[in-house]
């Protein structure tokens, strides 16, 4: 089995955080595959080696965004979306673990290497309700064509999920991605996304959990490209979406969680993290 490398390591890190959340008595979700992904990766994330506050912040951030986007996906399908598209799906298992109330097709797009690793761990596991279509493609390539070839229909309302994705794409690739989403989105389509606006270089300097991995500090920085946006609502509006942006701390409180006030990460944070829900504007 090929172990994840490059950006794929970030998916393992997120899986490790989801495994921690799944083990809690008051968990916001249960992802029984998360721990298996970590074990098969051959990487032992150094989560236990950092200060408690930083560990809690990272785990809470992943737990809150996962729950938010879980709810977004279920609500979007309940409101008429017949397709869910996970762009940069990583080790996401929403097709399997969410309690879909009606038939939906979940498309998972990621690099061939990540797709192969995920398939080796999942084996012949199939979702109970959702139809699952895996599309091995680099999002810097012609992913809309690959998505259509997998059966995607642009006349069906679609819920798009962009979780922990945009930072890893160059500015021009982000714009191209949003243009592609817009062209494929029927009326009634929606987007759920994370927007991270932080001082990445400072975080890499001070947060040990992000240094002691299979990737060097320089490797991490080489993968982080998008300059983000200070006004997510206006940015989504410019791409044809009516968006609501909520800061992570507020969502955490909604779910009964609290982001630590002091940690290595909060000390260097120069921006904010937002959770986005948006609907396609009508012409």
């Amino acid at each position: 089995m090929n172990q994840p490398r490059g950006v794929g390591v970030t998916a393992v890190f997120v899986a490790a955080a989801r495994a921690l959340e799944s083990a809690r008595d008051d968990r916001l979700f249960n992802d029984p595959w998360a721990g298996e992904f970590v074990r098969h990766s051959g990487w032992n994330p150094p989560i236990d080696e950092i200060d408690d506050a930083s560990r809690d912040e990272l785990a809470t951030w992943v737990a809150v965004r996962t729950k938010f986007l879980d709810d977004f996906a279920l609500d979007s399908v309940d409101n008429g979306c017949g397709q869910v598209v996970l762009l940069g799906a990583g080790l996401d298992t929403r097709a399997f673990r969410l309690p879909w109330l009606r038939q939906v097709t979940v498309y998972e797009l990621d690099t061939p290497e990540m797709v192969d690793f995920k398939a080796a761990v999942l084996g012949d596991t199939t979702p109970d309700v959702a139809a699952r279509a895996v599309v091995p493609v680099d999002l810097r390539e012609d992913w809309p064509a690959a998505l259509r070839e997998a059966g995607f229909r642009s006349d069906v309302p679609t819920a798009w999920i962009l979780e922990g994705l945009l930072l890893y794409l160059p500015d021009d690739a982000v714009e191209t991605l949003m243009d592609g989403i817009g062209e494929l989105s029927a009326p009634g389509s929606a987007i759920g996304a994370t927007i991270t606006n932080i001082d990445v270089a400072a975080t890499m300097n001070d947060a040990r959990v992000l240094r002691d991995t299979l990737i060097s500090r320089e490797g991490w920085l080489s993968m982080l490209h998008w300059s983000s946006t200070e006004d997510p609502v206006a940015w989504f509006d410019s791409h044809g979406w009516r968006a609501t942006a909520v800061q992570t701390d507020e969502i955490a409180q909604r779910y009964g969680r609290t982001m630590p006030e002091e940690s290595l990460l909060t000390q260097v944070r120069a921006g904010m993290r937002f959770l986005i829900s948006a609907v396609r504007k009508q012409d």
Side-chain angles (χ1 to χ4, degrees), residues 131-184:
R132 178 174 177 252
V134 179
V135 185
V137 64
D138 190 312
L139 294 178
R140 295 168 295 183
E141 299 172 355
D142 189 3
W143 63 267
L147 184 58
R148 287 192 183 97
E149 290 176 4
F152 177 89
R153 292 176 52 185
S154 58
D155 62 335
V156 174
T158 301
W160 303 87
I161 295 182
L162 288 64
E163 182 177 8
L165 168 66
L166 298 178
L167 274 176
Y168 298 102
L169 297 175
D171 289 9
D172 59 345
V174 170
E175 295 301 312
T176 300
L177 182 84
M178 292 301 296
D179 289 344
I181 292 172
E183 292 172 1
L184 294 173

Side-chain angles (χ1 to χ4, degrees), residues 88-137:
L91 300 175
D92 187 289
T93 59
R94 289 186 171 94
F96 302 92
R97 62 179 180 78
L98 290 189
W100 307 105
L101 296 180
R102 66 183 183 89
Q103 182 65 44
V104 62
T105 301
V106 178
Y107 294 91
E108 301 179 9
L109 281 68
D110 214 314
T111 63
E113 295 78 13
M114 178 57 68
V115 166
D116 288 346
F117 171 78
K118 189 173 181 179
V121 177
L122 290 174
D124 58 2
T125 305
T126 57
D128 292 332
V129 176
R132 178 174 177 252
V134 179
V135 185
V137 64

Side-chain angles (χ1 to χ4, degrees), residues 215-227:
I215 307 177
S216 65
R217 176 186 181 277
E218 291 73 20
W220 279 96
L221 290 175
S222 70
M223 295 189 300
L224 297 165
H225 300 288
W226 188 46
S227 56

Side-chain angles (χ1 to χ4, degrees), residues 159-270:
W160 303 87
I161 295 182
L162 288 64
E163 182 177 8
L165 168 66
L166 298 178
L167 274 176
Y168 298 102
L169 297 175
D171 289 9
D172 59 345
V174 170
E175 295 301 312
T176 300
L177 182 84
M178 292 301 296
D179 289 344
I181 292 172
E183 292 172 1
L184 294 173
S185 293
S189 294
I191 289 179
T194 59
I195 296 288
T196 303
N197 180 10
I198 63 174
D199 186 337
V200 175
T203 300
M204 293 298 166
N205 281 333
D206 293 341
R208 181 178 179 183
V209 70
L210 298 180
R211 296 202 312 269
D212 296 346
T213 68
L214 296 175
I215 307 177
S216 65
R217 176 186 181 277
E218 291 73 20
W220 279 96
L221 290 175
S222 70
M223 295 189 300
L224 297 165
H225 300 288
W226 188 46
S227 56
S228 192
T229 174
E230 294 184 1
D231 189 342
V233 171
W235 186 78
F236 274 95
D237 181 80
S238 71
H239 288 281
W241 298 86
R242 186 171 68 254
T244 299
V246 185
Q247 293 181 8
T248 304
D249 292 31
E250 181 179 337
I251 296 292
Q253 292 177 3
R254 183 185 304 176
Y255 295 144
R257 300 293 172 84
T258 302
M259 301 294 287
E261 295 182 2
E262 288 292 335
S263 76
L264 291 177
L265 296 181
T266 54
Q267 289 170 16
V268 300
R269 189 189 304 161

